[in-house]
Amino acid sequence: MSSLSVSLPYREENTCRFCYKAYPDWKQHITPDHLRPVVQNTEKTLPYMAVVYGEVVHKIPVRPGPEGIAEFKAKVKSLFGFPPDLDFEVTFECKDPASEEKVLLKGLKCFEAATHCAAVSAAKRARGEGSSSWP
């Protein structure tokens, strides 16, 4: 099983099922206003994720989108010596950008949300805000 599958959002995730109007971009609602320009400039604030398998931890850069998820999967397989055709499960542990509470996002279908949370955390570190501890 070596195919990459990326889940497309259900219609209800981005469109009202009653009036069929599109919802506003969710990223704008969870990103503090003063960090939006920094989050969008990933050249200066490249987001990283700590990937843990057993007792081994690696920090890897991440970027959103289908290319980003493909790179993430390939990098994880390479770092931990997984076969190229292996499908693996993940749980992303993130801080909610607004409340700083820990959030668990289960599955690669949550990659976009986890990457955005990582981008907000990187923006906060770049501006000297919040915790500097890693991860």
Side-chain angles (χ1 to χ4, degrees):
M1 213 185 278
S2 62
S3 65
L4 171 67
S5 96
V6 177
S7 298
L8 296 175
Y10 295 105
R11 181 185 300 162
E12 287 86 9
E13 290 180 13
N14 55 26
T15 307
C16 176
R17 65 179 166 162
F18 301 110
C19 70
Y20 303 105
K21 289 185 180 177
Y23 296 134
D25 181 17
W26 60 269
K27 292 177 184 177
Q28 297 299 316
H29 291 283
I30 66 169
T31 306
D33 290 340
H34 71 287
L35 293 176
R36 285 183 188 158
V38 183
V39 168
Q40 293 169 350
N41 187 358
T42 57
E43 291 178 14
K44 287 190 172 189
T45 57
L46 183 65
Y48 281 82
M49 287 185 189
V51 180
V52 182
Y53 181 68
E55 298 293 319
V56 180
V57 179
H58 290 282
K59 290 188 273 185
I60 61 171
V62 292
R63 62 188 184 112
E67 297 87 9
I69 196 168
E71 290 170 3
F72 175 79
K73 289 174 75 172
K75 187 71 171 175
V76 168
K77 289 176 184 181
S78 171
L79 286 170
F80 296 107
F82 296 158
D85 60 343
L86 177 74
D87 288 332
F88 58 90
E89 293 293 319
V90 297
T91 299
F92 299 102
E93 183 178 312
C94 310
K95 284 185 180 179
D96 178 298
S99 69
E100 295 285 317
E101 291 182 32
K102 182 171 78 169
V103 177
L104 295 177
L105 305 170
K106 295 186 184 256
L108 285 169
K109 66 181 181 267
C110 297
F111 181 78
E112 284 298 312
T115 302
H116 185 73
C117 290
V120 172
S121 292
K124 286 180 178 181
R125 282 192 303 275
R127 291 181 52 102
E129 297 178 20
S131 171
S132 62
S133 65
W134 182 270

